[in-house]
Structure formats: C-alpha cells, structure tokens
Amino acid sequence: MNASPDTNPYLRAATAGVRHHTKNLPASEADRVHVDVLHAHLTGLHQLLDQIAEATRPPHPAAGRHLATAHTRLWQATAEVHAAFHLLPTASGTSAECRPDQLPEGPPVLTICQRHLAAGHAIRRRTTPTDLTSPPRTTACVR
C-alpha cells in the first residue's frame, strides 16, 4: 500500500495546519473559539476515521478492529472537548450549558452542540454505550 506523496494533500495540509497552530498558540489565547475549532477538527477526523475503518474491516479484520477502537477513543476525546467548551467563560464571563438552539454568542449556522449531536448520532449507530465508556485497550506493536 504505497501511496504517492500527492494522494492525500488536504489531510496533509490539515495536519500541517494543526502542527503550526500548536507551535504558535500562546497559552493565553485558548478560548471558546479555539476549542470550537478544535472540536470541528476532531469531528471531521472522526468521520474520516469511520470511513477508513469501514473500508479496512472486510479485507483486514484485525486492523479494522484497531481502527474501530481508535474511532471510539477519538469520540471520547471529542466529547471531552465539547464538555470543556461549556466550562470556559463566555463573552459575558459565565459558562454556558449545552443548548444547541441558543448559545450566548448567538446562533451560528452550526453550533458546537449541533455538530456534537450529529456526530453522536453517527457513533451510536455502530458503537455500544459500554464501548463508549470502557477504558482503552493496550495493544502490542507486532511489526
């Protein structure tokens, strides 16, 4: 499975953007806007990982299981980022409860809560509640 350097240019560009932002984000700038953008990135990765896991599972079941586990763990990380978003102060200085229809900043086209609910529906179609709350399994590298 040798991919040419130009096979996934958008994914590589997104990865480079995250690395650049990681190196250049002052700690004082981590606010609701940054957490919202991070959540959007995680939900996008979640959808991509879901597609890759589904395509990998039939020909390579063991690899598919590992990707499915990564899919679940990424969802857990996304859920924690969503929770953190609501604990950060708003423009008015208070935290906000999860209300997809009405956030203190006004109703953007797609709020973090709406995005999170949509992603949640997708993961619940393929994942059990037990899987979503179970601790990560460790695996040995078998290269």
Side-chain angles (χ1 to χ4, degrees):
M1 187 173 188
N2 295 328
S4 71
D6 295 325
T7 303
N8 301 303
Y10 298 116
L11 187 55
R12 274 196 317 284
T15 301
V18 168
R19 286 182 183 150
H20 172 77
H21 195 71
T22 301
K23 291 177 185 174
N24 296 310
L25 176 69
S28 62
E29 289 188 32
D31 58 8
R32 289 172 66 95
V33 173
H34 286 91
V35 173
D36 183 24
V37 171
L38 178 60
H39 185 271
H41 189 76
L42 288 172
T43 55
L45 283 174
H46 187 262
Q47 290 173 328
L48 178 61
L49 188 55
D50 184 36
Q51 291 174 350
I52 292 171
E54 284 301 307
T56 303
R57 192 171 291 136
H60 306 286
R65 282 191 299 275
H66 284 285
L67 291 171
T69 299
H71 180 254
T72 301
R73 300 304 165 240
L74 184 58
W75 170 252
Q76 291 171 334
T78 304
E80 293 300 328
V81 168
H82 176 252
F85 175 86
H86 289 292
L87 295 174
L88 291 171
T90 63
S92 64
T94 62
S95 61
E97 65 183 54
C98 186
R99 295 273 321 245
D101 57 330
Q102 184 180 26
L103 286 176
E105 294 84 9
V109 175
L110 182 64
T111 67
I112 188 173
C113 297
Q114 290 167 331
R115 183 187 324 113
H116 194 72
L117 288 172
H121 289 299
I123 192 159
R124 285 181 182 86
R125 279 186 263 135
R126 295 192 178 134
T127 312
T128 67
T130 303
D131 288 339
L132 293 175
T133 58
S134 66
R137 288 177 244 141
T138 57
T139 59
C141 184
V142 290
R143 287 188 195 183

